């Protein structure tokens, strides 16, 4: 690993204090004792829809964060939340993230997300899902759904029986199918862009890269990286996946503690919140560029903690937008594989813009990305006001 001198490290402490102070609102997001309406006000949500149906057992929350650029698009996930308030907070945080992802990617979409409260293995029945579809239909296209955690294609088929506002269905139903290959491609391009900035060349040949999680996205990403002769180390909780991906790509399975390896690039492609108090101090890398959503456990505190360590972090919602591009084209009924990949090419420049802005303004890349997203919403919103 080659140490990089980052000019933005100077002055970070003062900025961090000022930013923490001004962003108190964002940090409040995670406090479950806050009322939903006060969180909506603080995070800028337009609407939150609570859905209940006693007959089917359906309990759902649809977060609609911002629809200035277009309809609020974002997947539906099902989870056994510890409390209804936790579910509401998840819907609020995820829908806000979708607003930023769409805006910074240049899509004419707003941000939304739906959560279903319950046990995905036992509670999802045909009536349950179709009743949920009816609720989505009642919003007249203001919210458009897609597949997310714990939702299967067959579940989406039931939802689509009751609403036309579903996107990303499988190809045999006329949809764009699995978005993971495009997500992986965009992540690969974003990684190359930041490598160019940090090392002076976008080539990943010989770079030591840890891909954490070789599910759908991690597997395709590993293929791209290995084709370029990167030295890829993989980890996953699923032994079978590790064996298969290692065999097909030649990536090395990590035995023992992944943090003990001296790497150049860490690519989180599993779950969120892997950048936290415990991990940041142990990380031994120059760049973090991965597809997992919500990688920073606390977006302000940990964004700045990475800067302090001199590690360049590419915000997840900028680098992992390939999947959203795929479903956006599907929603517009303009999907072709070529078009989707060609739009994903822009992720390279988007990642560079964010990291350059952060460097110039001595702010965290997360903050820079949010500023760019909010700027586009503001400016395009003003254009839309004219007749
Ligand atoms: P996936 O479920 O196919 O793969 C996730 C993998 O991570 C699984 O193999 C799982 O076993 C593994 N995993 C879980 N915990 C782990 C841990 N602690 N250490 C190592 N591995 C672990 O999911 P996916 O579709 O590949 O998505 C990966 C991430 O990217 C998720 O955070 C997802 O939200 C995000 N994302 C995916 C897409 C997409 O197009 N699929 C788009 C944007 C963002």
């Amino acid at each position: 690993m080659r140490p990089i001198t980052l000019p933005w490290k100077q002055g970070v402490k003062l900025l961090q204090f000022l930013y923490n102070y001004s962003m108190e609102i964002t940090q409040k997001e995670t406090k479950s004792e806050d009322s939903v309406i006060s969180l909506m006000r603080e995070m800028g949500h337009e609407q939150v829809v609570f859905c209940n149906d006693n007959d089917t057992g359906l309990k759902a929350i649809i977060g609609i964060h911002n629809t200035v650029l277009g309809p609020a698009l974002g997947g539906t996930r099902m989870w056994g939340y510890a409390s209804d308030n936790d579910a509401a907070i998840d819907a609020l945080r995820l829908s806000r993230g979708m607003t930023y992802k769409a805006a910074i990617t240049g899509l004419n979409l707003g941000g939304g997300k739906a959560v279903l409260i319950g046990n995905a293995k036992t509670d999802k029945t045909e009536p349950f899902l179709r009743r949920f579809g009816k609720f989505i239909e009642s919003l007249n296209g203001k919210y458009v759904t897609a597949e997310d955690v714990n939702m299967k294609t067959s579940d989406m088929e039931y939802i689509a029986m009751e609403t036309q506002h579903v996107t990303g269905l499988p190809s045999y139903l006329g949809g764009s199918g699995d978005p993971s290959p495009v997500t992986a491609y965009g992540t690969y391009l974003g990684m190359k862009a930041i490598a160019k900035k940090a090392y002076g060349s976008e080539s990943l040949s010989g770079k030591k890269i840890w891909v954490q999680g070789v599910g759908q996205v991690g597997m395709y990403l590993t293929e791209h990286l290995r084709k370029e002769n990167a030295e890829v180390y993989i980890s996953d909780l699923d032994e079978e996946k590790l064996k298969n991906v290692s065999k097909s790509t030649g990536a090395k399975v990590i035995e023992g503690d992944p943090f003990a390896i001296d790497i150049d690039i860490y690519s989180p492609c599993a779950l969120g919140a892997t950048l936290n108090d415990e991990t940041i101090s142990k990380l031994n890398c120059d760049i973090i560029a991965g597809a997992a959503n919500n990688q920073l456990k606390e977006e302000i505190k940990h964004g700045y903690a990475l800067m302090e360590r001199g590690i360049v972090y590419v915000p997840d919602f900028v680098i992992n937008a390939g999947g959203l591009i795929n479903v956006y084209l599907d929603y517009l009924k303009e999907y072709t594989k070529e078009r989707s990949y060609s739009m994903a090419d822009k992720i390279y420049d988007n990642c560079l813009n964010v990291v350059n802005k952060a460097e110039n303004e001595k702010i965290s890349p997360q903050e820079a990305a949010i500023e760019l997203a909010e700027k586009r919403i503001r400016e395009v919103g003003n254009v839309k006001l004219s007749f």
Side-chain angles (χ1 to χ4, degrees):
M1 187 174 73
R2 203 189 73 181
I4 308 170
T5 313
L6 294 171
W8 65 32
K9 282 186 79 179
Q10 294 136 24
V12 160
K13 281 210 166 110
L14 175 64
L15 272 166
Q16 183 172 1
F17 167 76
L18 292 172
Y19 191 61
N20 283 352
Y21 182 73
S22 67
M23 292 299 286
E24 199 179 310
I25 282 169
T26 317
Q27 294 192 323
K28 266 189 166 182
E29 282 165 46
T30 49
K31 289 187 189 164
S32 58
E33 66 270 20
D34 284 324
S35 80
V36 173
I37 198 87
S38 67
L39 288 173
M40 282 175 73
R41 165 115 345 160
E42 287 165 1
M43 293 164 73
H45 285 74
E46 288 177 15
Q47 194 177 359
V48 174
V49 184
F50 290 85
C51 316
N52 175 61
D53 185 65
N54 288 353
D55 290 340
T56 60
L58 174 79
K59 284 204 288 181
I61 303 171
I62 303 172
I64 297 174
H65 179 252
N66 186 298
T67 57
V68 170
L69 297 178
L73 192 151
T76 294
R77 72 171 46 176
M78 184 154 189
W79 201 256
Y81 291 98
S83 72
D84 293 350
N85 222 38
D86 283 359
I89 288 170
D90 209 23
L92 292 174
R93 295 191 66 186
L94 292 166
S95 54
R96 173 175 170 269
M98 292 307 293
T99 296
Y100 291 147
K101 191 184 298 200
I104 202 158
T105 308
L107 310 180
N108 292 319
L109 285 177
K113 204 85 178 186
V115 300
L116 298 173
I117 302 168
N119 183 329
K121 288 209 173 101
T122 54
D123 297 346
K124 270 190 295 178
T125 60
E126 178 184 352
F128 176 102
L129 292 161
R130 293 182 69 162
R131 187 70 188 91
F132 178 56
K134 282 256 187 224
F135 277 113
I136 294 176
E137 184 63 16
S138 74
L139 294 169
N140 290 319
K142 189 171 187 182
Y143 170 67
V144 181
T145 200
E147 208 173 315
D148 199 71
V149 177
N150 278 333
M151 296 298 286
K152 293 189 292 204
T153 303
S154 50
D155 301 328
M156 301 313 290
E157 283 182 47
Y158 283 131
I159 292 172
M161 285 176 191
E162 302 298 337
T163 179
Q164 54 178 316
H165 306 297
V166 182
T167 186
L169 288 169
S171 38
Y172 66 84
L173 289 171
S176 54
D178 181 11
S180 310
V182 190
T183 305
Y185 175 68
T187 306
Y188 167 65
L189 292 185
M191 199 184 276
K192 284 175 79 64
I194 305 309
K196 177 153 195 203
K197 182 167 179 61
Y199 305 118
S201 160
E202 64 169 38
S203 170
L204 298 171
S205 176
K207 291 280 175 273
K208 289 184 171 182
I209 304 171
W210 168 24
V211 178
Q212 182 186 37
V214 282
Q216 289 299 99
V217 178
M219 174 190 67
Y220 290 118
L221 176 63
T222 302
E223 286 176 3
H224 285 294
L225 299 174
R226 286 293 301 139
K227 270 190 202 139
E228 209 181 311
N229 284 325
E231 203 176 313
V232 185
Y233 296 83
I234 55 175
S235 66
D236 199 294
L237 303 179
D238 187 327
E239 296 287 332
E240 196 65 26
K241 283 185 190 169
L242 275 177
K243 219 189 300 168
N244 291 341
V245 176
S246 172
K247 194 169 165 206
S248 64
T249 64
K252 294 174 190 153
V253 175
I254 300 178
E255 313 283 350
D257 182 6
F259 291 97
I261 308 174
D262 193 10
I263 46 167
D264 299 304
I265 302 171
Y266 164 46
S267 184
C269 293
L271 302 176
T274 59
L275 302 173
N276 52 50
D277 286 345
E278 205 192 317
T279 57
I280 289 175
S281 57
K282 291 199 280 181
L283 269 173
N284 206 355
C285 64
D286 304 321
I287 296 169
I288 299 173
N293 279 316
N294 299 329
Q295 290 167 31
L296 297 167
K297 187 164 185 206
E298 289 175 56
E299 85 180 9
I300 310 308
K301 176 181 171 191
H302 296 127
Y304 278 94
L306 288 170
M307 284 174 74
E308 288 259 338
R309 293 264 350 256
I311 297 173
V312 187
Y313 165 70
V314 190
D316 44 34
F317 66 86
V318 185
I319 198 170
N320 74 10
L324 183 61
I325 290 171
N326 221 56
V327 293
Y328 173 62
L329 289 171
D330 190 341
Y331 162 77
L332 292 177
K333 311 239 176 301
E334 290 176 7
Y335 173 78
T336 63
K337 190 176 167 191
E338 295 68 32
R339 184 121 195 254
S340 183
Y341 276 81
S342 136
M343 277 178 80
D345 281 338
K346 295 184 187 134
I347 291 175
Y348 185 102
D349 285 340
N350 282 353
C351 291
L352 264 185
N353 286 345
V354 165
V355 170
N356 283 335
K357 178 179 165 68
E359 182 180 28
N360 293 339
E361 298 177 20
K362 294 191 172 65
I363 56 178
S364 75
Q366 183 82 0
E367 184 190 8
I370 290 174
E371 275 187 23
L372 287 169
E374 287 182 341
K375 182 169 181 276
R376 176 162 181 261
I377 294 169
R378 217 171 32 248
E379 291 179 352
V380 176
N382 284 339
V383 171
K384 281 181 161 193
L385 285 176
S386 335
F387 185 66

